[in-house]
Amino acid sequence: QVQLVESGGGLVQPGGSLRLSCAASGIIFNLYTMGWYRQAPGKQRELVATITSGGNTNLADSVKGRFTISRDNAKSTVYLQMNSLKPEDTAVYYCNAQRFNYERWGQGTQVTVSS
């Protein structure tokens, strides 16, 4: 079966940094586009960043210059490096794997940015 397991969330101060990880199993990892999405209380889930099987990346305007998405195919893991964190980054962050009409989601990890 397919599993996407996020880790690395927690409480950080404004201006701080955090690195999220998503370990995948049950898929041929290097064939999939991987992504990070987030959902804040009372808000719709929104795209944060994606990285294709070929390594092309796309970031939401709100996080450009602060966040970086990367992948390690040997470890079947996708990362989200978050720098210069702001209170408005507070949300549950979800890992996503997509290929053709197939899509799976992780359970989410909480990120809280507060002093």
Side-chain angles (χ1 to χ4, degrees), residues 12-18 66-67 82-87 89 93 111 113:
V12 296
Q13 296 186 175
S17 296
L18 205 61
R66 301 188 297 122
F67 291 12
M82 304 184 292
N83 299 325
S84 302
L85 282 161
K86 305 174 180 180
D89 295 318
Y93 284 70
V111 172
V113 185

Side-chain angles (χ1 to χ4, degrees), residues 4 8 10-11 18 23 28 30 46 54 62 64 75 88 92 98 101-102 104-105 114:
L4 302 175
L11 175 64
L18 205 61
I28 304 175
N30 71 132
E46 65 176 354
S62 60
K64 283 182 180 176
K75 296 182 178 180
E88 49 263 50
V92 178
Q98 184 271 321
N101 65 340
Y102 183 92
R104 300 298 285 266
W105 296 88
S114 176

Side-chain angles (χ1 to χ4, degrees), residues 18-33:
L18 205 61
R19 192 200 316 268
L20 305 183
S21 299
C22 172
S25 60
I27 61 172
I28 304 175
F29 181 80
N30 71 132
L31 298 179
Y32 284 75
T33 292

Side-chain angles (χ1 to χ4, degrees), residues 21-95:
S21 299
C22 172
S25 60
I27 61 172
I28 304 175
F29 181 80
N30 71 132
L31 298 179
Y32 284 75
T33 292
M34 303 299 298
W36 289 97
Y37 296 72
R38 67 187 182 187
Q39 187 166 24
K43 302 292 185 180
Q44 295 265 65
R45 183 156 55 188
E46 65 176 354
L47 186 147
V48 177
T50 61
I51 182 166
T52 69
S53 61
N56 294 322
T57 61
N58 180 59
L59 277 73
D61 288 342
S62 60
V63 305
K64 283 182 180 176
R66 301 188 297 122
F67 291 12
T68 303
I69 187 170
S70 62
R71 66 193 295 161
D72 185 338
N73 288 340
K75 296 182 178 180
S76 295
T77 300
V78 62
Y79 305 93
L80 185 68
Q81 177 67 48
M82 304 184 292
N83 299 325
S84 302
L85 282 161
K86 305 174 180 180
E88 49 263 50
D89 295 318
T90 295
V92 178
Y93 284 70
Y94 296 91
C95 180

